[in-house]
Amino acid sequence: MKNHELLFGTAYYPEYMPYDRVAQDLDMMKKAGMNVVRIAESTWSTLEPRDGVFDFGYVDRVLEEAGRRGMKVIIGTPTYALPSWLVKKDPDVMVVTREGQARYGHRQLYDLWNPTFRFHAERVIRRLAEHTAGHPAVIGFQIDNETKHYGNDGEEVQKRFREYLRGKYGDTETFNRTFCLAYWSNSIDRWEDLPDMRGCVNGGLMGEYEAFKRRLAAGYLEWQAELIREYKREDQFITHNLDFEWKKFGADIAQDGYSYGVQPDMNHREAASCLDLAGTDIYHPTQDELTGAEIAFCGDAVRSLKQQSYLVLECQAQAFKYWTPYPGQLRLHAYSHLSSGAMGLLYWNWHSIHNGYETYWRGLLSHDLQENPAYREAAVIGKEWKEHGRELAGTKQPSRIALLVDNRSLEALRWFPIDRDLSYNDVVRWMYDSLYELNLECDVVDVEGLEEGRYDMIVTPALYCADENLIRRLDDFVQKGGVLVSSFRSFVADSHSTVYPDALPYGLTGCFGMSYQQFSEPGRTRLGGEPVSCFMELLKPDTAKTLAAYEHRYWGEYAGITGNHYGAGWAYYIGCYTSGPMLKEVYQEAAQRAGIRISELVWPVTVRNCMTSDGKALHYILHYSEEEREIPCPYLLAEDLLTGNIYKRGDRIHLRDWDVVILREEEDI
Amino acid sequence: MKNHELLFGTAYYPEYMPYDRVAQDLDMMKKAGMNVVRIAESTWSTLEPRDGVFDFGYVDRVLEEAGRRGMKVIIGTPTYALPSWLVKKDPDVMVVTREGQARYGHRQLYDLWNPTFRFHAERVIRRLAEHTAGHPAVIGFQIDNETKHYGNDGEEVQKRFREYLRGKYGDTETFNRTFCLAYWSNSIDRWEDLPDMRGCVNGGLMGEYEAFKRRLAAGYLEWQAELIREYKREDQFITHNLDFEWKKFGADIAQDGYSYGVQPDMNHREAASCLDLAGTDIYHPTQDELTGAEIAFCGDAVRSLKQQSYLVLECQAQAFKYWTPYPGQLRLHAYSHLSSGAMGLLYWNWHSIHNGYETYWRGLLSHDLQENPAYREAAVIGKEWKEHGRELAGTKQPSRIALLVDNRSLEALRWFPIDRDLSYNDVVRWMYDSLYELNLECDVVDVEGLEEGRYDMIVTPALYCADENLIRRLDDFVQKGGVLVSSFRSFVADSHSTVYPDALPYGLTGCFGMSYQQFSEPGRTRLGGEPVSCFMELLKPDTAKTLAAYEHRYWGEYAGITGNHYGAGWAYYIGCYTSGPMLKEVYQEAAQRAGIRISELVWPVTVRNCMTSDGKALHYILHYSEEEREIPCPYLLAEDLLTGNIYKRGDRIHLRDWDVVILREEEDI
Amino acid sequence: MKNHELLFGTAYYPEYMPYDRVAQDLDMMKKAGMNVVRIAESTWSTLEPRDGVFDFGYVDRVLEEAGRRGMKVIIGTPTYALPSWLVKKDPDVMVVTREGQARYGHRQLYDLWNPTFRFHAERVIRRLAEHTAGHPAVIGFQIDNETKHYGNDGEEVQKRFREYLRGKYGDTETFNRTFCLAYWSNSIDRWEDLPDMRGCVNGGLMGEYEAFKRRLAAGYLEWQAELIREYKREDQFITHNLDFEWKKFGADIAQDGYSYGVQPDMNHREAASCLDLAGTDIYHPTQDELTGAEIAFCGDAVRSLKQQSYLVLECQAQAFKYWTPYPGQLRLHAYSHLSSGAMGLLYWNWHSIHNGYETYWRGLLSHDLQENPAYREAAVIGKEWKEHGRELAGTKQPSRIALLVDNRSLEALRWFPIDRDLSYNDVVRWMYDSLYELNLECDVVDVEGLEEGRYDMIVTPALYCADENLIRRLDDFVQKGGVLVSSFRSFVADSHSTVYPDALPYGLTGCFGMSYQQFSEPGRTRLGGEPVSCFMELLKPDTAKTLAAYEHRYWGEYAGITGNHYGAGWAYYIGCYTSGPMLKEVYQEAAQRAGIRISELVWPVTVRNCMTSDGKALHYILHYSEEEREIPCPYLLAEDLLTGNIYKRGDRIHLRDWDVVILREEEDI
């Protein structure tokens, strides 16, 4: 793709339309400034209505009409949803989980390793790729969609897992010892005696099993990528739509929830290894609950996978009734994605579906398929992006802070919960969101992908599982001048979730200058005058300074937050689940120690900084508020890209509700 | 039955009694003024203790003793609960549902279409009918009890459904298009590929499937009715006990809940077609929560089925601890049933059961089987009904308002919920209850049973599914002078739950003089100063007058309630879930436009009007309050049937707590 | 065991340890004053790593090291958790329940009656007993652990149950009548037609079935006891770890809940019959929620089984985060156990487990395996118990009050719940806890174990099932001068949960001098000015005095609490779920009538009285409060065993937070 163009478009399903509207739809898109559509993923039964009979008619139709209008197309492989003839042919293509074999109907619930599935998936992928790769409008392929392991506990997976364990641990005694399996007589003497994992209650072994299943799922994507590579042109990319942990809210309505945290059933780092371009979907609260935090978190995470620009393959237009956007919000969403490093976005989806599971996951068009307020606001975005694409595309977001995330810790803390109301991702978001609100930009880095020497400050939310090597690296990082900020439940167990039989935080009691032996429910404990909720470790400072001590008749002798000068660096430890403001105080001290400048602007005025491809400093000012306000220009001299207004340092910049200002710093006056 | 007699009695299960009490029980009933018992339903294992061995001894016993006392008997077919020998003989008589095959023990959970079941059911029904039809005490037969489809997903049902679809839609392409099955690759190319419906996630197709199952269940009743018709005398009726959606409250205690709204698993209109007499059970909150709304709603619905008097086959005596009646309440219940058009009532049941699932669904007698306060109050009712039966029996309740209900919309809104806290029946009851509280009497009419030209005002709560024909009829109704009052989520989709790809409310934007493209969670929106809860459509008036506009920073430009003069009539649309008072304001304007007089009395003084068989106007004044109060007599001259008091217009009528006054208008002074 | 020694120790699992620490651990225990460890239960896979291959190495190791240090060992049979090879050999060793066959992984979920299981269990028990019985350190054996029937609905159990019914009831007609099975056609004509109990909805029959399963589970313990008896020495005891109903709090975290009430799935009286020594585990809230009530309740119940000292085989050291003990609380726990008659206690467990289901059920040592505050407080206990063991061991706790508990009533009230928020055990604890808080000591006696003439006052919480014999005995008890205090829902049904068809409270309307026919949800009812919650019976006093009448417009004519002088005694009846203070008023009057002295001290100052083996009166003063306070010495002359302080009546005794004072009354000054 050309660096000076932003992608703006939508998922498009002409096969879901109540009548033929391809030309009309593409005209409307074009009119709204869109330049790309994603098609064909999840449409297997349309592409291959019966076993071996293919019909790419509607794909051709879109390619032709898009090509005619100079629009681009991303082709999705259709394997995300099976046709029913395949299940009739071999019922075992449906996944077997803890709850039994899935029934056909819902998407995704198939057995990725079933040979019948693989045979037919390969055939349809090859046919589709062969059919479309040559078309000039096609800029890339998306393999599958939101792939996960779907809780696969089938025989084949379990057999492979046993072989994997045998290969990794060799003898059963080592295996037993590694996971403490003597407990409740779960140790085995022969590998054949490994029981059905569906009954397993050993959190460590389940963590290993889940990690194994995530790797298998990533392997499935690699398999698809290799198939596509046989057909695609050099200039076409392979991407995938990575999704995040979905947070349901309230009761069980089909259509609720949002992108919240680390995906438990797929490791993004593993999944991304076979991709040219990281793609993602990001859904988030809006209306009065729009904060931008999810757009930032997910964007930072996906950008960090390859340390390069990514594509938002799906984001919300109208979706649920909760998310009907206020005027200005759709535009604010769009710039927020760019500000994290996105090269563009596609709505999910163009139109609202007239029947089916996601009828009320509304698209840009309502069910009437006519122009509406959402469409009209999209057209504003389309127009602006066409004008400013050259400057806004291809930016770099260099971050000096890394927030480490870890699938194993997530899984371990499901088995060994901190609290029923505090999951791993809650801690991740607690630590991330306070950074975000302080306008401290960070990468969100998988713990196994942490690069040596890249960051000045590292943040570890509940990094429960940490192997000796990582611990040595972090100790070294601080000794050499780095700043480490860790929360409670970090450095507790090894990568098998086996708690270290030693002082905690394991291997880092010197670094943090403190240790603890006990933890407690806070009860009436306070910290800095505020009640502590959920969980607290009883820290005993050694060389560390107590930044905050517990206020409690019995726990008053222990520290809640400590800071320690260690070697050339500093290590901060937050022993309990504090309020946001308390956490921010620690961050402010930590950032200062790390030599990172803290903006005077704070949320709801979000500032995201990047460098244009021309090397200019660009600052997104994203206003997450329905209030109007004025802020002083923080830069010596800057121009608002969108309005052309020029501001000098201290000049008042007026922000409307849900406003966007993009300041490009100018070097000379 | 004779027109001048009210039925008053009870379900009676001598076979559940701890010792022989038939003579004693019937004496007690007689003493309380009762004249009818219902027996034999659900007693198959007593009537046929082993395969082919019949014992009608206790039936004969009751017939003899009842006959001797001049009491009537309704014979129930016993098929509602299977004997265990039948399940041992063929385990497949138990229903197969989404959760697997039901286990024997609970009532009802059998496969209505299983041939073994049908063979044995036919045999016992024929034997029982043959045995009892000739007895002079027998006035009618109840076929089965509270019949529904029991979630039957058995192979036979699914096979029939596939044949039904093939017959209805012909080719799979039409079928796919009708339900938008291309979505998630659910389209099929051959009918054989139709997947197991238990995995289906297409709300429209599931709606079709549920409708099909309701029809099958109604067909089962027709089959029973035909069997009975071979034996019954001309003067004997066939009835069935139709029940309503059961609203559970609180946690899962066996004995809670009450009759709430439209029955999802049986269509009453279809079920009633084979009956001579509509029968029903109505259970409702009492004590401080007694409002009369359920008695009125269910009564109006059952009366509307055949536009004639119905029989309350079951209603509560004491039942749960929540419902131990206050003094006066049992009597108030009884008159409330009459005021809706009931020809009488039977308690469920005579005595409290000493062991079994419904031990604490207490009867008129407590477990001690002695006279108690409930019994003594029943005796008051018995006495009064004997005295006034001639005037109270055979009344007519002509209503000028129809409230339309629809099983398909109910099912569709399960799949496409308005809100987790707002079901279809919640909207039905919201619209019904405000009519009720204003003393605006209505019929509750199944949408497929709406008679042309019968009503002056039509109310449609969340009539989500509406076919083109119905829409044309309603448009025409308004054009010709009718008044239509519709709520949000009306006229959205066709009868397949496929949303119309056009402006909404579909086909009626002219009639309502407005349209909408978007809807939203209300958030902080207000309407008429009050917060809006759950759901709101953003109405854009065209010719309509805005009756209330949303109060909200962004939604303030849209209307929440509109009224439109269209042709000779008026159409009102309520775009959001408002408070009761706001809805009542709309009703008051609408009723006025329809020329319907509104009573000055409002709930808790309920007024229900009817015409005696002698053509006199009768007004039930039902006092749903523990307060005492005085009301002015609204009629020129009227006599209280129960006391003989004469009132002229404006005279003060004193109402005790939970009081009943029945005013018969007198023509000359 | 010697009478002058208290047992103090811990469960010990060297096989769960991350490295060999046996010598080091036992040194640490010894240093803390511990003299006993319990080993080997639940370690089958370690003792018999493959079918027929035994390895008692670690058992020998502990015996040797313990013996060397003069410490005692309790050997647990390992059958509580199966090795996976056994399940691979015969999958049917896993229990079949209502939910299907259990999967291997979790403890306990096996079929106690499976012959394969029995064969292998017998072999490993015999080998272990043979191997260890001769070792001088071994003081006793624990058979299995926390045994219950595990919801066993397997074919064998159901077959045995049918045989049992046939034996008990003879003909099916008696059987049908006993349980009112005609209801919903559940009666049978031949025993072969008895349906699968998993579908049964007859609460009475389910009660019978559950009782049968409890007896089978007790029989399994007898079988183990007989095996052990073939090997054990005369001086060695057989015990078992009896546990209580586990009350979960909050959502589903693996590690929460506490010992709450009567165990539903095992009858303690039946289970204890084959034991020499009753053993138990008692877990309870601590920190701010520490009241001592669970320690007292469970202790009183276990002591009452054999009317002798019992052993606390498991109690909490640190366990969950909720229970990290405050300074002083671990010591208070320990003395509280003694005060109920325990001969000592063992912590569960020594160390915190490093991986597995109970990783955060922390032991005395945290995961670092070093000394910590909990360990150091245990060492204080160890030291004091060594000094004062002679006086504190072998005490007697004679109680004049019996609180009757009943498994059948518990089960019946699951089927016929009083209220969704009020279970049988809630009523038990409501009645027990008020006794406890008044320092009225009682035995907690299984209704079938009530000894004639032992008590002066009997309390019956919700004794729903009571057979005629028991009722006659209680009537006789009162006539002869006893005092009976019964709650609502007592004396309602026979032992088949069949409600008596007669006036209630059945057979005791004379004794209580009142009866009732109706009950109600309280609604707005008050009693003594306080709102009544959940449930109330409408009592009609005859000879009884109304102690409190309901305050309510309609229920005001009924009594809520009555007292009656009957024969030489008194009978009190509490017809509704009152507040604690109202219940205590009744207790105070009742105790006075029974001639039982009521302490002036009340909780949080708990007083528990006993007699030393030397015949001296010993009074534990247990201070359940973080406040400091002074109390007057209630005894003429007494010495605090722990400090040697001497107090005369009225002297101020100072109580620190969570303090313990043990006053031995001295005879002469």
Side-chain angles (χ1 to χ4, degrees), chain B residues 95-97 110-113 149-154 157 209 213:
Chain B
V95 71
V96 169
T97 72
Y110 52 93
D111 179 356
L112 300 176
W113 298 281
H149 59 61
Y150 313 137
N152 198 319
D153 290 318
V157 170
Y209 181 54
K213 292 200 283 188

Side-chain angles (χ1 to χ4, degrees), chain C residues 269 404-407 445-450 463 465-466 470 473:
Chain C
R269 195 186 51 81
L404 297 189
V405 294
D406 179 33
N407 276 100
V445 179
D446 184 286
V447 74
E448 296 190 34
L450 178 62
L463 191 58
C465 298
L470 176 69
R473 286 176 65 195

Side-chain angles (χ1 to χ4, degrees), chain A residues 15-19 42-46 49-50 78 80-85 88 103-107 249-256 287-288 318-327 329 348 353-360 362 366-374 376 625-628 657-658, chain B residues 97-100 162 177-190 192-196 198-205 415-421 464 489 492 494 496-504 516-524 534-536 538 540 552-555 557-558:
Chain A
E15 74 279 21
Y16 295 176
M17 278 288 173
Y19 52 90
S42 83
T43 64
W44 194 340
S45 72
T46 303
R50 65 173 77 186
Y80 170 67
L82 304 190
S84 79
W85 59 256
K88 293 278 175 179
R103 286 190 182 123
Y104 178 79
H106 220 292
R107 60 184 173 180
F249 47 83
D252 193 33
I253 300 189
Q255 300 95 351
D256 72 2
Q287 293 191 351
D288 296 340
Q318 301 190 90
F320 319 144
K321 65 172 176 168
Y322 312 93
W323 295 354
T324 307
Y326 291 160
Q329 290 192 328
W348 200 93
I353 293 167
H354 296 83
N355 208 338
Y357 199 71
E358 292 178 324
T359 297
Y360 287 99
R362 292 171 298 164
S366 297
H367 289 106
D368 64 358
L369 305 175
Q370 302 305 311
E371 294 191 6
N372 66 16
R376 285 187 284 270
S625 172
E626 68 167 36
E627 308 297 317
E628 310 228 344
D657 49 333
W658 317 111
Chain B
T97 72
R98 189 168 289 257
E99 277 74 40
R162 198 171 60 206
R177 201 176 345 99
T178 300
F179 294 104
C180 303
L181 292 172
Y183 173 77
W184 283 358
S185 279
N186 282 179
S187 57
I188 59 172
D189 193 57
R190 306 176 310 173
E192 305 90 277
D193 289 341
L194 187 75
D196 186 336
R198 288 180 291 177
C200 180
V201 295
N202 182 289
L205 185 53
W415 282 90
F416 308 117
I418 304 170
D419 188 89
R420 63 177 157 268
D421 295 324
Y464 185 83
R489 300 286 82 189
V492 174
D494 64 19
H496 301 101
S497 308
T498 298
V499 178
Y500 288 110
D502 205 342
L504 297 180
Y516 67 93
Q517 290 189 291
Q518 295 186 298
F519 52 82
S520 177
E521 174 84 356
R524 290 172 296 169
C534 292
F535 183 82
M536 57 188 229
L538 304 175
K540 294 179 294 183
H552 184 272
R553 173 163 184 154
Y554 300 109
W555 310 136
E557 60 180 297
Y558 298 103

